[in-house]
Amino acid sequence: HVQLVESGGGPVEAGGSLRLSCAVSGNLHSDYCMGWFRQAPGKEREGVAAIDSAGSPTYTYSVEGRFTISRDDAKNTMYLQMNNLQPEDTAMYYCAAGPRIERACRPLQDRFGYWGRGTQVTVS
């Protein structure tokens, strides 16, 4: 049974930073993707970033250069460092995991079968 638990969200002023964490428990495929997604009020959930087991990241355009995804498989934890946060980054942030089925891990929802419950980020 796989569980993902996010933490690190909260209120922050525009221009500030937050670091989200995602703790993973249970057995995952040896080569798996991890990703961050977010859903703002009244909007559909969107992909933010994804990372493969070698640490290669992909980002959605709107966060590239501001957000950094990383993972520490020894600690079964994934991170999202978010800098220069803007009000439009306000959303519930979810972490997800799934087997790698293509060359790169991309933040596409249908690639991920395991999801956390989310952590709220509010930028004002």
Side-chain angles (χ1 to χ4, degrees):
H1 180 61
V2 176
Q3 278 193 313
L4 288 77
V5 179
E6 304 92 338
S7 62
V12 63
E13 292 185 353
S17 298
L18 281 175
R19 187 195 197 202
L20 305 183
S21 297
C22 174
V24 183
S25 61
N27 293 320
L28 284 169
H29 192 274
S30 60
D31 186 8
Y32 61 97
C33 298
M34 296 198 71
W36 287 99
F37 296 79
R38 66 185 181 186
Q39 186 167 21
K43 295 188 177 180
E44 293 187 355
R45 189 163 58 185
E46 64 173 354
V48 174
I51 188 167
D52 67 15
S53 56
S56 296
T58 58
Y59 299 95
T60 194
Y61 177 78
S62 61
V63 307
E64 198 150 15
R66 299 188 298 125
F67 291 10
T68 302
I69 187 173
S70 61
R71 60 192 278 178
D72 185 340
D73 287 352
K75 296 182 179 179
N76 293 327
T77 304
M78 176 180 63
Y79 306 97
L80 185 68
Q81 177 67 42
M82 305 185 294
N83 297 329
N84 191 22
L85 283 160
Q86 300 301 313
E88 53 266 34
D89 295 315
T90 294
M92 184 73 78
Y93 283 72
Y94 300 89
C95 68
R100 186 166 70 159
I101 59 173
E102 55 186 357
R103 184 180 182 90
C105 292
R106 296 184 289 164
L108 302 175
Q109 296 185 60
D110 62 0
R111 304 294 197 269
F112 295 85
Y114 301 104
W115 293 83
R117 293 189 173 185
T119 186
Q120 178 68 37
V121 173
T122 303
V123 186
S124 59

